[in-house]
Amino acid sequence: MTKKLWGGRFTKNTDPLVEKFTRSLHTDIALFEYDVTASIAHAKMLGKCKVIPKKDAQKIVKGLVSILNEFEKGKTKIDQSAEDVHTLVQALLEKKIGAPAKKLHTARSRNDQVSTDTRMFAKDYIIVLIEVVKDLQASLDSVANRHKTVSMPGYTHMQHAQPVLFKNYTGAYREMFERDKERLSEIYKRIDILPLGSCALAGTSLAIDRKFVAKELGFSKVSQNTLDAVSDRDFIIEILSAAALTGMHMSRISEDLIIWSTSEFNFVDIDEAFCTGSSIMPQKKNPDVLELIRGNAGRLYANLMSMLVTMKGLPLTYNRDMQLDKAPLFDSLNIIKDQLEILSKLIRTMKLNKAAIDRQLQDPGLYATLMAERLVKKGVSFKDAHRIVGKNYARL
Ligand code: ARG
């Protein structure tokens, strides 16, 4: 059983139900490498500032480096009874180097630690996400370039409206994903602020060097207000909001592709590698991937709502409610990344069915607006032109 970080004032054992109920290791284990990396920087700083003896700091750093190496090799024995990832890392260090390990948790609290770890995790993830969004855009460009001159019916209210170029259709989604990338880059700036050193809520009386830690961990700034630093979860809500929007864009393109791949439309052929079949109907090739992307939009919105509601009305500063931020955060980030990757491949490999598209392009209604504009060029007012073309169209 891993020792608690806070056992001192307690004489009774924690009820096993409470142990289980308050534990977050199953979720925050995803922060393991960040927790160790942040602890290495913290220990270096404590040694440099002589808050702890340099020798102890060196032993701590050495121990943590080997803990990190073991974890990366999959050799870490994870004690599932640890309350959270911070407790686990502390216990692993105590086991590895003994007494000096007890000096690591100086001038910090799990409150500033968890925010630091989560920010580090989110920063790395956002960089990856921006790259996968770029790849999806490249796939849209690639299919557009293969069909540069292809026209297709454009729709409003799902009725034939006017012909559009296929590359403008893909271009519309390109624009949405461009905004998604911009949003991620803007959010990044607000995540890139180090909370460590804010401790539980009020900083510390010990002479620490927060700028040193920020530099070691690649943060651009240090947070200014300790109370805000430990209780701010805006950055998580912003990520969840960006994920919800990206998910909405992916849901919309999925819906378009689902409609286009119906027998009725037959505009696109989704590659078999991205479809699934039916256990009873032998002929079926279903767009399940696209349907799951459409469905996941609900989960992404729910994750955003869950955090907005969790944070509403929380008094300053840290409250345990905030521990519930990580499950929705990790869930939304994983969904977005998986979907961007799969959608990118699906789009790159899909085929357009020109013959089916051309058949729909024969609808004269698609050219009605063009006809009215031709009359305008001849001096007819648009209102009259609209009426003239409308009357003739009704007779077709
Ligand atoms: N597991 C906690 C979380 O994720 C860490 C902070 C706990 N702090 C505390 N004072 N109980 O939020």
Side-chain angles (χ1 to χ4, degrees):
M1 173 69 98
T2 296
K3 256 202 313 205
K4 294 185 175 65
L5 293 175
W6 42 265
R9 63 95 72 203
F10 288 80
T11 48
K12 274 191 177 177
N13 286 333
T14 313
D15 188 284
L17 280 177
V18 175
E19 298 261 5
K20 185 166 176 272
F21 187 63
T22 54
R23 188 173 293 133
S24 59
L25 185 66
H26 47 282
T27 309
D28 57 33
I29 187 74
L31 298 175
F32 189 95
E33 283 153 294
Y34 296 101
D35 197 75
V36 178
T37 306
S39 294
I40 291 172
H42 183 68
K44 280 188 189 165
M45 182 279 289
L46 293 175
K48 180 187 89 74
C49 295
K50 302 198 174 67
V51 175
I52 64 171
K54 253 214 153 89
K55 268 204 333 268
D56 286 341
Q58 280 162 356
K59 281 183 196 151
I60 293 172
V61 170
K62 215 173 140 214
L64 288 169
V65 168
S66 96
I67 286 172
L68 195 57
N69 288 338
E70 281 163 23
F71 185 80
E72 275 156 9
K73 287 185 194 131
K75 286 188 184 157
T76 309
K77 264 191 73 193
I78 294 170
D79 177 0
Q80 299 296 342
S81 74
E83 184 182 334
D84 55 23
V85 68
H86 324 292
T87 313
L88 175 74
V89 171
Q90 178 67 35
L92 288 170
L93 188 66
E94 281 177 27
K95 201 163 165 217
K96 194 170 274 291
I97 68 165
K102 289 200 278 181
K103 293 195 172 150
L104 171 62
H105 209 60
T106 308
R108 75 172 187 185
S109 141
R110 281 180 298 163
N111 298 354
D112 57 350
Q113 228 184 316
V114 72
S115 173
T116 303
D117 297 355
T118 312
R119 283 171 186 266
M120 288 167 72
F121 174 94
K123 277 174 63 185
D124 279 356
Y125 217 111
I126 284 180
I127 290 169
V128 173
L129 278 189
I130 291 175
E131 288 310 308
V132 272
V133 176
K134 276 189 201 159
D135 188 65
L136 173 57
Q137 286 179 314
S139 290
L140 286 165
D141 292 347
S142 131
V143 63
N145 286 335
R146 266 184 279 131
H147 304 97
K148 266 195 193 122
T149 56
V150 170
S151 290
M152 59 176 287
Y155 298 82
T156 61
H157 314 273
M158 276 205 74
Q159 305 287 324
H160 278 180
Q162 290 181 276
V164 292
L165 285 169
F166 173 71
K167 70 174 177 152
N168 283 351
Y169 217 101
T170 54
Y173 284 107
R174 186 182 217 295
E175 292 291 323
M176 295 179 217
F177 294 122
E178 193 61 29
R179 291 195 292 276
D180 291 332
K181 261 182 3 198
E182 279 171 22
R183 247 184 299 275
L184 289 172
S185 312
E186 282 157 20
I187 295 169
Y188 186 94
K189 288 184 219 149
R190 281 184 290 280
I191 307 176
D192 193 16
I193 300 169
L194 178 79
L196 204 66
S198 305
C199 304
L201 78 163
T204 174
S205 62
L206 299 164
I208 58 170
D209 183 349
R210 298 183 61 207
K211 288 207 173 116
F212 173 86
V213 179
K215 207 160 165 233
E216 285 282 305
L217 297 177
F219 280 96
S220 300
K221 289 191 206 156
V222 294
S223 59
Q224 294 303 306
N225 183 296
T226 58
L227 306 179
D228 180 50
V230 295
S231 65
D232 167 32
R233 294 295 182 272
D234 291 4
F235 71 102
I236 291 180
I237 294 175
E238 283 195 84
I239 296 170
L240 294 174
S241 161
L245 277 173
T246 306
M248 182 263 279
H249 296 152
M250 284 194 270
S251 175
R252 291 187 73 181
I253 196 168
S254 296
E255 175 65 2
D256 268 331
L257 295 176
I258 289 167
I259 294 170
W260 293 357
S261 62
T262 56
S263 312
E264 285 72 16
F265 269 76
N266 194 22
F267 283 4
V268 291
D269 184 24
I270 313 285
D271 194 274
E272 278 189 10
F274 296 93
C275 293
T276 54
S278 157
S279 59
I280 177 168
M281 297 170 280
Q283 86 286 9
K284 292 283 265 172
K285 188 183 110 187
N286 293 328
D288 294 37
V289 166
L290 297 167
E291 288 165 343
L292 283 169
I293 293 176
R294 189 175 58 186
N296 271 336
R299 213 160 113 189
L300 293 164
Y301 296 175
N303 286 340
L304 170 61
M305 282 309 133
S306 126
M307 267 321 281
L308 279 170
V309 177
T310 300
M311 292 307 292
K312 177 194 168 294
L314 278 194
L316 291 184
T317 57
Y318 179 85
N319 299 273
R320 193 62 173 264
D321 318 43
M322 291 175 187
Q323 175 168 288
L324 304 175
D325 60 355
K326 280 169 286 298
L329 176 70
F330 298 160
D331 188 46
S332 285
L333 288 173
N334 287 337
I335 290 176
I336 289 294
K337 181 166 170 285
D338 287 353
Q339 289 188 176
L340 286 165
E341 282 170 352
I342 203 164
L343 196 55
S344 177
K345 280 182 153 185
L346 183 149
I347 287 173
R348 217 174 261 267
T349 52
M350 74 186 191
K351 298 216 165 53
L352 284 194
N353 183 353
K354 270 257 306 120
I357 296 173
D358 283 346
R359 265 196 299 285
Q360 291 303 319
L361 282 172
Q362 281 161 23
D363 172 6
L366 283 166
Y367 309 95
T369 312
L370 196 65
M371 296 298 290
E373 284 172 356
R374 275 201 192 145
L375 293 177
V376 167
K377 282 183 194 154
K378 295 211 161 101
V380 182
S381 75
F382 187 78
K383 245 186 137 195
D384 286 340
H386 187 285
R387 188 177 40 78
I388 295 162
V389 176
K391 260 194 175 156
N392 281 302
Y393 180 68
R395 268 189 235 120
L396 283 176

